[in-house]
Every structure is written in C-alpha cells, then in structure tokens.
Amino acid sequence: MNNSTLFDTSYQRRKWALLERLLERLMPIYTAEEVAALRIDAVNRDILSERSGRGFVNRDLLETVLGNLLECVAPGSHNALGPGHQKPSLDEAIGEIADQLYAMIAQSFLAAGESEGAEEKALMNTICLLWELPEYKVRAHWNRFAALRDPAVWDAYLLDNCGLTQEQLLKIDFRAALEETIRRRDFDHYRRFLSELECDSIFDYQMQLVMSTYPGWRVLFYHDIAHALTRSGSVAGESGLTRRPVPLLPRAIAELGGRYYQADIHPETQMGDANFLDHPHRGITTGQTGIIGSGCHIYPCTLGGLSGKVQQRHPIIGDYVFIGTDAGIFGPVQVGDRTAIGANTEINGIVSIGPDCRIGVSVSIGTIIARTARPGAIKLGAGVRVGAGTVIENDSPLELVIPDQAAIPVRSHVVNDGCGGPKFV
C-alpha cells in the first residue's frame, strides 16, 4: 500500500457500506442536543496519508483523533471549534472520525511491516471500535458519575446556589447513595436522593463540573480506546465484524495518557467502569496483566509486577475497592470486593485478600523468599481488620492463613507459626 491508495475509491465504497449499518446503531444513542453540541476537528486526508518516521502516524494527529473520540462519548466536552468546523450531520461527523482512525491504524500496520491487506485490516478495526461507541459512551458516563465521590464536587458556587450549610452537609451520607446508585446502575436513584435537598440543579451541575475539569474519566476513556485496539475476534452479536490486535498504536495512546495525566495504564489491563481515579496527576501505574473491577476508588498508587515471565504478574482488584495514596501492590496479589487499603501500604508476592477487609495505613504484607524453599501464600479471610503500621510476612513454605473476621492490632508483627496460623512476634 502507498500513500495514493490509502483513500482510494475502493476504500470509499467499502467504508460507506459499513457506515450505513454503523449509523443505524449509533443514531439512537444521541439526543438532538448532543448532536448539536458535537464538535469534530477535521483533518485533511493528505495529512492523514503522510507517513512519518518509519510509517507511524504522528502524535499531533493522535491527540486530535482522541479528542474527537472523546467528543463522541461526551459531546461538547473537548473541542471548542467555530461553526465552520462543525459537521452538519452525525453521519458526516462519524465518517470523518472513521477516516482518521482508519489512517492511524493503517499506518500502524505499515510501521510493523504488515503491508499485505493493511487497508482491509485497518477498516475492519475502525468499524469494530466505532461499533462499540454506545458501550464506551455509557462507560464514560459512569466513570464521570463515580467522581462524585469527591466531596469537592460540592464547591462554593453550588453551595451558594443551594443554600446548604456545612452542618446540613455533615448529616447527609452522600457516599452511600452514590454506591447504591452504581450497584443499581440507576442514575434516578441519586436524583431522587438529591430531590429531597430541594435543589434540582445539583446533579446536572456536578456532572458538568466533572466533565469539564476532572481528568480521571478522560484517562479511563483513553484506556478504553487503547484496550479496544488490543482485542481480537468478532464484535459481540456481529460475526461479520472481526478485528485483530493493532501494533504500536495502543501503547502510543497509553503513553499520551501518561504524558498528560501521569496515569500509566497499560492498554492490556482489563478494567471495569464506574471507577474514580482520584488526583491521577500524582501518578497511577498499572501493568499488562492487571485486572481492575468496577466501582473502585483509586488514589495515586502502583499496581506493579514482580516477575519478568510472561504470566499473570500484576494485581487483580475486585469491585468497589478503595486504594489509598502511595499504596504499592506488586505481583499477582488478589484483592477482594469492597476491601479498603490504606495510604502508604505495601502488599507484594503471593497474597490474597478476602472481601470486606480493612487494611490500615503504612501496613506491609508480603511473602519472603527464604533460602530453603519458595514461601507459601498469605491469605486474609473475609472481613479481616489490619491495624496501621502492621507487618505480616511469610517465609515458610506453608500458607499463612488469617481467619475470617480477625482483627490485628496496630503495629503488630505477624509471621507463620509453623502450622499455617498467625503468630504475633
């Protein structure tokens, strides 16, 4: 493939045949107000066709395309363009984005030395990604909603308009209402909760505040796009649409997320939605084999690997997990649903933590490689409480099991008693 054939008539016919089906799927997910707010930054096809370096599309174009995709899931959230830049209809807007995605994906295959069939592979990957825009739009909405856990969404402007006092706010359990809304997947539950405060504009203002100024949901959207480009096989319910992993481009998207927001999320990390990345600018890192559930609240932390082998080497985080600032979780650590991990805590090695555990600040939990044998795992049962400053370590070949509902006092030192139970040193 060369530059002159990237957007030839064959591409045009094939693209519009696929776009017809795609637009039937996409039109119902947008309101008239969203279509009017949609701003798509167009890029000249000659520029899209221009190969840079060893054939990979340049970073400036990548930023433009990601911004346009962000507009697709949250119209009016990213681009501030004059009327001349606005596409008059949704089909033209989606067509423009399809061209941009197609060019970047094709350039990626070319840069990896796959010139045979690069056009068809790029087009199919493009349509597959756009086919899932309804899912990404919903995920982005829930990721924005999850940021309402931040008390700062009750800013001075909102408080002034609602006339609520600090004393009144202290009596209201907002977090419980937010968590229940996520569990139910029903925004109206939170709206009904807020209606009792007699201020109908609260929810809309808070969501606007998050969309306009909070970085976490944007980082997660970048990850959704990067992750989509690592997948293979057919799209759910559409056997005629098949894709394969795209070289280079997913990592380039992840790198941009790291550059802008200091959130280094590997594109192959599996991640749920309704997650809140709190203050990601301080640095959040996840690895290739990491898994993060839904409804989590994550402060700047490191979810890293210990092994150099191609295996499960990063943490597996359940649903509704809280991870505090500067926590470090390394290796194939498993964290159960609804568990909270305090700030400055380090967990490493072969460790599993049951559901509903509470681990205090500055705790250290880890398996230690002894000279004689590989250490057994550390297993915390359901509902375990670990006091601040505690050290739990296992260098015995036997598993160290902390039973359900156990309470370990602050600044304890726990080791294996030689029979698999906890011993306080």
Side-chain angles (χ1 to χ4, degrees), residues 46-267:
D46 290 337
I47 297 175
L48 290 173
S49 298
E50 188 67 32
R51 295 174 67 176
S52 63
R54 295 183 61 190
F56 186 59
V57 70
N58 69 60
R59 295 299 197 274
D60 290 338
L61 287 179
L62 182 54
E63 293 176 23
T64 298
V65 177
L66 288 172
N68 285 338
L69 287 168
L70 202 62
E71 279 283 306
C72 289
V73 298
S77 67
H78 187 76
N79 291 333
L81 304 173
H85 288 269
Q86 185 180 6
K87 293 296 179 182
S89 62
L90 184 63
D91 59 340
E92 289 189 67
I94 298 299
E96 172 66 28
I97 294 168
D99 287 347
Q100 295 174 9
L101 268 175
Y102 162 76
M104 282 199 306
I105 295 171
Q107 302 280 25
S108 299
F109 279 116
L110 284 174
E114 284 198 47
S115 57
E116 185 68 29
E119 302 103 318
E120 180 63 16
K121 285 180 285 192
L123 180 56
M124 289 303 293
N125 274 282
T126 296
I127 298 301
C128 286
L129 191 152
L130 295 177
W131 190 268
E132 293 179 332
L133 272 179
E135 176 187 342
Y136 300 137
K137 190 170 185 282
V138 171
R139 286 172 61 86
H141 202 170
W142 280 110
N143 285 334
R144 294 199 300 278
F145 179 82
L148 301 190
R149 293 185 179 100
D150 184 0
V153 295
W154 292 86
D155 64 5
Y157 173 82
L158 183 58
L159 292 176
D160 184 67
N161 276 270
C162 291
L164 291 169
T165 67
Q166 189 64 42
E167 290 73 21
Q168 289 173 310
L169 287 172
L170 287 173
K171 296 176 182 178
I172 303 170
D173 191 352
F174 292 105
R175 191 174 188 91
L178 292 165
E179 299 296 343
E180 184 61 24
T181 299
I182 292 172
R183 276 189 284 271
R184 293 187 184 192
R185 296 292 166 151
D186 179 14
F187 292 116
D188 288 337
H189 176 75
Y190 188 62
R191 286 188 181 277
R192 289 190 295 269
F193 172 78
L194 292 178
S195 68
E196 298 176 4
L197 303 178
E198 299 180 353
C199 189
D200 295 337
S201 63
I202 292 174
F203 182 68
D204 292 336
Y205 174 76
Q206 289 178 336
M207 291 295 281
Q208 177 66 28
L209 178 66
V210 171
M211 184 172 74
S212 302
T213 63
Y214 278 55
W217 75 274
R218 294 171 184 262
V219 174
L220 293 171
F221 175 71
Y222 280 13
H223 173 71
D224 279 349
I225 298 303
H227 186 71
L229 295 172
T230 69
R231 294 160 64 191
S232 60
S234 59
V235 172
E238 290 294 322
S239 58
L241 296 177
T242 59
R243 56 190 161 197
R244 54 168 303 198
V246 176
L248 305 175
L249 187 57
R251 296 297 292 270
I253 294 172
E255 187 273 333
L256 276 182
R259 180 195 300 180
Y260 290 150
Y261 306 114
Q262 286 69 58
D264 183 8
I265 303 176
H266 193 284

Side-chain angles (χ1 to χ4, degrees), residues 214-335:
Y214 278 55
W217 75 274
R218 294 171 184 262
V219 174
L220 293 171
F221 175 71
Y222 280 13
H223 173 71
D224 279 349
I225 298 303
H227 186 71
L229 295 172
T230 69
R231 294 160 64 191
S232 60
S234 59
V235 172
E238 290 294 322
S239 58
L241 296 177
T242 59
R243 56 190 161 197
R244 54 168 303 198
V246 176
L248 305 175
L249 187 57
R251 296 297 292 270
I253 294 172
E255 187 273 333
L256 276 182
R259 180 195 300 180
Y260 290 150
Y261 306 114
Q262 286 69 58
D264 183 8
I265 303 176
H266 193 284
E268 292 178 48
T269 299
Q270 299 176 47
M271 188 172 282
D273 65 352
N275 290 318
F276 176 31
L277 303 187
D278 206 338
H279 298 291
H281 292 99
R282 281 200 58 194
I284 293 176
T285 302
T286 71
Q288 179 185 28
T289 62
I291 300 173
I292 298 173
S294 297
C296 297
H297 186 169
I298 302 175
Y299 278 88
C301 64
T302 300
L303 308 178
L306 292 176
S307 172
K309 297 179 180 179
V310 182
Q311 60 184 14
Q312 181 66 47
R313 60 191 187 276
H314 296 95
I316 300 173
I317 309 297
D319 297 332
Y320 308 105
V321 171
F322 174 90
I323 302 177
T325 304
D326 296 332
I329 307 178
F330 301 93
V333 176
Q334 298 186 40
V335 179

